Amino acid sequence: MKRRSGFAVMGQLIGLVRPLSGYMALAVTMGLAGHLCAAFLTVFGVYALCTVVGLAAPLGMTGLFIAMAVMAVMRAALRYGEQACNHFIAFKLLALLRDKVFRALRALAPAKLEVRDRGDLISVITSDIELLEVFYAHTISPVLIAVLFSGVLTLFIGQYHPLLGLLALGAYLCIGLVVPVLISRASGAHGLRFRTRSGELSSFVLDSLRGLSETLQYAQGARRRQELDARTRALVEEEARLKWTAGWGMSLTSALILLFDLAMLLAAAVLYRSGQVGFDGVLVPTVALMSSFGPTVALANLGGTLQNTFAAGNRVLDILQETPLVRDVTGQAPTEFTGADAQRVSFAYNDQPILRDLSVQVPRNQILGIVGRSGSGKSTLLKLFMRFWEVDKGEIRLSDRPVGQVNTVDLRRMEGYVTQQTHLFQDTIRNNLRIARLDATDAQIEEACRKASVHEFILSLPQGYDTPVGELGDTLSGGERQRLGLARAFLHDAPFLLLDEPTSNLDSLNEAVILQSLRREREGRTVVLVSHRQSTMRVADRVVTVDAGRCS
């Protein structure tokens, strides 16, 4: 994970506000006006008191009470408007941010996402992005409002005497700048550790739920629960440190406000005794300062929460700024499938060599069988044909063109890929199949299922093709899921079909049906068939063996 300073994270998050800068300006304007109304409500009360004791005031008693009534009403309306604008900005930006994150994940998949922790990704997409609502709704405009408000109050108090104005400025800088910086530094890396451990806990819980049956089978429930408790305690301890720091900051802020109020009263009294200010020069600056710490206190209270927010922002920015290993290709001439081959291909996962100088020809309209031991690189070769990764050396070619020069849209249209584990979404069978071809008719879906020897099974279900498959297809057996994966491939109807152990979860009878379908549907189709079963290889026109990353 890339470590960024708080200011760097803040700068990049603020940059996202640019499309909504008009709303932000409106929020700041209303917020500033609202805080000024609140502060001068008490100041005008002091003016009314001065009028009672015979001192000069800017307005008469009637005018002061009218002004105070107007400011009280305006304060409520402006506060509502400010919050409405801030939350509109926040929720709009969160929607835009989620869109950016999903686009980034799409670009990173599958090469960089295969090794990422799924639970941690879910934590980033959900809770981390949601936490940024605090930054956009309760940080950006409050900072700008506090700066402008402090400037106005400093000038107002300073008109009675420059020394009082400087004292007010010092108070605002101390409360609104020094205290948040101190709290932020005291928080240290607790915020980042809290967000990281939160993601790890989410991953652990997700892993535990998926492996619940195995945990029960091998009586590991107590050990799993102990580890869950330990992770939860560690997360609670990190949160407690953050809360303690925030509480300490609030106590420090309250103490400093009291000290500055007393200092303003003392300084004004000294100036009054020396004749440099009148009695109103004691009352008005002191009351004005006492009633003006609202915006700066909001900044002081941000010191503890910002560490958590910046940690979340840092994790989100990691995804947005991560460089994909493989980028989509556009702008190339359209390509039609005429064959495929691998030429002296070498490839490694994280410096672990998988394929070494491998060459293989896949003739058009033939079925090429690939056999080999587990870990020899058979599945990796199929993924390279799909251009899920770039080769380290050599070249993967489709239609006599490097796959890196084939439009990604054309590549996905020409290729159909069936893996050993078929992923099913929590939806109906029909919708899971239609992923392969969104405009497919019911007749086309049923025909694809007949080819995959799954149509009769689907009709036996209470809701037929509208039967929900459950989470990850848990209501179906492994063989049934695999046949639905084959049905997807038949529905996609690509000329180049890549099958990775397509019959591994099927019995001999269903395997024979699938192989007969491949024979029937082979016209106009090129197939690469990976399997450990010798019986599956009977359908192949040619069989090659991959051993130690080489073909023979």
Side-chain angles (χ1 to χ4, degrees), residues 46-62:
V46 174
Y47 281 149
L49 180 61
C50 290
T51 302
V52 171
V53 298
L55 297 176
L59 297 171
M61 186 64 73
T62 302

Side-chain angles (χ1 to χ4, degrees), residues 90 130-140 302 305-306 309:
E130 194 66 32
L131 191 60
L132 295 181
E133 186 267 340
V134 175
F135 177 76
Y136 288 119
H138 305 290
T139 303
I140 300 178
L302 287 174
T305 59
L306 278 183
T309 303

Side-chain angles (χ1 to χ4, degrees), residues 522-533:
R522 63 178 299 168
E523 185 177 351
R525 197 186 310 274
T526 304
V527 180
V528 176
L529 179 61
V530 169
S531 181
H532 287 90
R533 293 184 176 183

Side-chain angles (χ1 to χ4, degrees), residues 157-213:
I157 295 173
Q159 72 177 343
Y160 286 92
H161 194 281
L163 178 61
L164 301 180
L166 290 175
L167 182 58
L169 179 61
Y172 297 138
L173 289 175
C174 186
I175 301 298
L177 181 62
V178 176
V179 171
V181 170
L182 289 176
I183 297 173
S184 180
R185 289 183 176 178
S187 299
H190 293 314
L192 183 58
R193 285 200 296 269
F194 176 77
R195 298 312 311 165
T196 301
R197 288 187 174 179
S198 177
E200 291 172 351
L201 181 61
S202 297
S203 178
F204 184 82
V205 171
L206 180 63
D207 196 36
S208 298
L209 290 173
R210 287 181 173 176
L212 188 59
S213 59

